[in-house]
Amino acid sequence: MVIKDPFTDPSPAEVPLANAPLVRVIAQLRFPLVASIEQRDFVAPFQEAIRATYPILRQEQTQQLLFGANIAAPVRSANTAWRFNSEDGHWRVSLTSDFLALETTKYTSRNDFLKRLEMVVAALAQQIDPKLIDRLGVRYVDRISGDALAEIGKLVRPEVRGLSGTLAASSVSHSITETIFAKEDVQVLVRWGQLPPNVTVDPAAIEPFEAPSWILDLDMFSSKPRSFSTDAVIADTRRYMERLYTFFRWAVTDDFLRHYGGR
């Protein structure tokens, strides 16, 4: 299937990749502050609702800097993040006082991810009951490394690979391109480029890698407030995932699909 415009062309059928270079997939929804989420007793019913699938709970303290016209100097604020992990460590649900996220390092299919997301969003609806969503986003991170990096000229289309795959590539250590596309009520943040060993552009989502690598980081989101609804969250997430997959298929070649085990 030839994709001319990744933002308007129909989304192609998924091609399963036996050795996919997809290192992380994240879906996150943000909602107005629910201060009670900081309390163990308040979060306990949510834990019980998902504990069969995510039985390992860790409590973490996160830090953020607060800025504002009425703040003389930046203020550091500590917040609780509840991390619910699957036994194999490949899936994690994060809950804080203003967001819920589902992420995986072992993505298999869109339908599987959406089924898992629907379960945790339904638990959020029943146990936390946020009335609004401030932001909804989906993110895919791919990483090309090893022998494939030398063949990137065959794997990724020229508009996306940048200096990688050119005669100047041997001298490139760090080169990242960042572009934001605005389409109606959503935006797509795309980052691609080459990273040196043990370097990351986002420690929260892209772990440093021991060797040179090339990343394709796709993030689609809407910051338009809307009423909270489990069905609407899943429908919008599916739409975002389909559009990001269309962009991915536009960005890579048939050689890419074959190289990573596509049939």
Side-chain angles (χ1 to χ4, degrees):
M1 177 179 180
V2 177
I3 299 172
K4 296 181 178 179
D5 186 336
F7 295 107
T8 60
D9 284 4
S11 182
E14 286 184 287
V15 176
L17 302 179
N19 304 302
L22 188 60
V23 295
R24 193 174 302 273
V25 178
I26 307 170
Q28 184 194 76
L29 61 94
R30 288 190 169 272
F31 46 82
L33 185 73
V34 180
S36 297
I37 291 176
E38 295 280 331
Q39 303 169 16
R40 289 190 179 191
D41 290 347
F42 186 81
V43 172
F46 178 85
Q47 179 190 17
E48 286 304 303
I50 69 170
R51 189 161 63 90
T53 307
Y54 305 98
I56 302 170
L57 173 58
R58 309 290 187 196
Q59 181 180 359
E60 298 180 6
Q61 292 299 120
T62 62
Q63 300 286 331
Q64 66 177 356
L65 290 176
L66 303 179
F67 299 87
N70 298 322
I71 302 176
V75 176
R76 187 175 296 276
S77 174
N79 299 286
T80 297
W82 304 99
R83 311 289 194 189
F84 305 86
N85 296 275
S86 62
E87 287 188 83
D88 62 12
H90 291 301
W91 291 83
R92 184 173 77 170
V93 176
S94 297
L95 178 65
T96 75
S97 58
D98 62 0
F99 79 77
L100 173 76
L102 173 67
E103 61 184 293
T104 183
T105 57
K106 198 172 185 179
Y107 181 91
T108 56
S109 71
R110 186 182 307 144
N111 285 337
D112 175 65
F113 189 92
L114 287 168
K115 182 179 179 180
R116 289 170 175 269
L117 181 65
E118 184 173 18
M119 188 263 282
V120 297
V121 173
L124 180 75
Q126 183 174 4
Q127 307 300 336
I128 310 297
D129 191 25
K131 302 302 181 183
L132 294 173
I133 296 176
D134 290 327
R135 185 185 188 277
L136 177 65
V138 179
R139 186 174 179 182
Y140 287 83
V141 181
D142 286 275
R143 181 180 3 237
I144 295 175
S145 60
D147 294 340
L149 191 59
E151 300 295 323
I152 195 169
K154 299 178 181 179
L155 305 180
V156 179
R157 65 187 296 153
E159 298 94 323
V160 176
R161 66 176 181 260
L163 290 173
S164 298
T166 69
L167 293 176
S170 61
S171 301
V172 173
S173 173
H174 185 142
S175 177
I176 294 292
T177 297
E178 180 174 298
T179 304
I180 295 179
F181 300 90
K183 305 295 290 185
E184 299 177 353
D185 64 333
V186 298
Q187 296 185 69
V188 180
L189 171 62
V190 180
R191 287 188 290 193
W192 62 67
Q194 190 161 324
L195 293 175
N198 303 312
V199 171
T200 179
V201 291
D202 184 353
I206 307 174
E207 296 178 356
F209 192 65
E210 61 187 10
S213 62
W214 186 91
I215 63 167
L216 177 62
D217 182 2
L218 307 176
D219 185 359
M220 187 171 186
F221 59 92
S222 173
S223 298
K224 181 180 179 180
R226 81 288 299 270
S227 297
F228 175 81
S229 159
T230 299
D231 290 343
V233 167
I234 300 306
D236 285 342
T237 302
R238 180 181 293 277
R239 178 165 59 94
Y240 294 1
M241 296 178 83
E242 290 175 350
R243 190 49 49 195
L244 289 182
Y245 186 69
T246 308
F247 192 100
F248 166 76
R249 289 289 299 275
W250 170 82
V252 304
T253 67
D254 289 342
D255 285 335
F256 181 102
L257 301 180
R258 286 189 289 268
H259 180 88
Y260 288 104
R263 292 178 293 175

